[in-house]
Amino acid sequence: MSLNVVHLVGHAGTDPDVKYFESGGVLCKLALAVRRPTRNSDQPDWFNLELWGKTAEVAANYVRKGSLIGVKGSLKIETWSDRTTGAGRSKPVIRVERLDLLGSKRDSDPSAVSSYDHTEF
């Protein structure tokens, strides 16, 4: 048995970077800052998020830098070769399956979209 599930709640560190493909697909990339207070520092941990399809569209329409969001997804490691040195590089990315909008927009407008789970359809 194996398990790869990530749950995070934090603030969007950037506005969504959205790409639309000729095939009709939508990709949204976003940075997420999650506070992890320690004795020595109150600096956030940063996570790279990748959202696809309807979840990406919801993020593009409703998430802005500073928005409080919750995500559920899986961890993947992207790997590539550095163009100048040829050295192997990698970075962790959270592939988001569910997005919850937790900020004040939901509090002030109950009809606003509060979450989207691509597995519901």
Side-chain angles (χ1 to χ4, degrees), residues 5 15 24 30 48 111:
V5 179
D15 283 336
L30 185 63
N48 296 303
S111 66

Side-chain angles (χ1 to χ4, degrees), residues 13 15 24 30-31 37 39 43-44 59-60 79 88-89 92 94 96 101 111 115 119:
D15 283 336
L30 185 63
R39 278 184 275 160
Q43 295 298 313
T79 58
R89 308 278 304 205
I94 309 301
V96 176
L101 305 173
S111 66
S115 70
T119 59

Side-chain angles (χ1 to χ4, degrees), residues 33-45:
V34 178
R35 292 247 177 245
R36 184 174 44 100
T38 64
R39 278 184 275 160
N40 301 328
S41 172
D42 192 26
Q43 295 298 313
D45 291 326

Side-chain angles (χ1 to χ4, degrees), residues 6-15 29-35 44-51 63-72 94 96 98-100 102:
V6 176
H7 292 268
L8 298 168
V9 174
H11 291 274
T14 59
D15 283 336
K29 292 186 177 183
L30 185 63
L32 183 69
V34 178
R35 292 247 177 245
D45 291 326
W46 288 93
F47 297 90
N48 296 303
L49 306 181
E50 177 181 277
L51 304 91
V63 176
R64 294 292 169 261
K65 182 177 179 179
S67 297
L68 181 63
I69 60 173
V71 297
K72 176 188 174 193
I94 309 301
V96 176
R98 179 183 172 96
L99 169 67
D100 291 302
L102 305 173

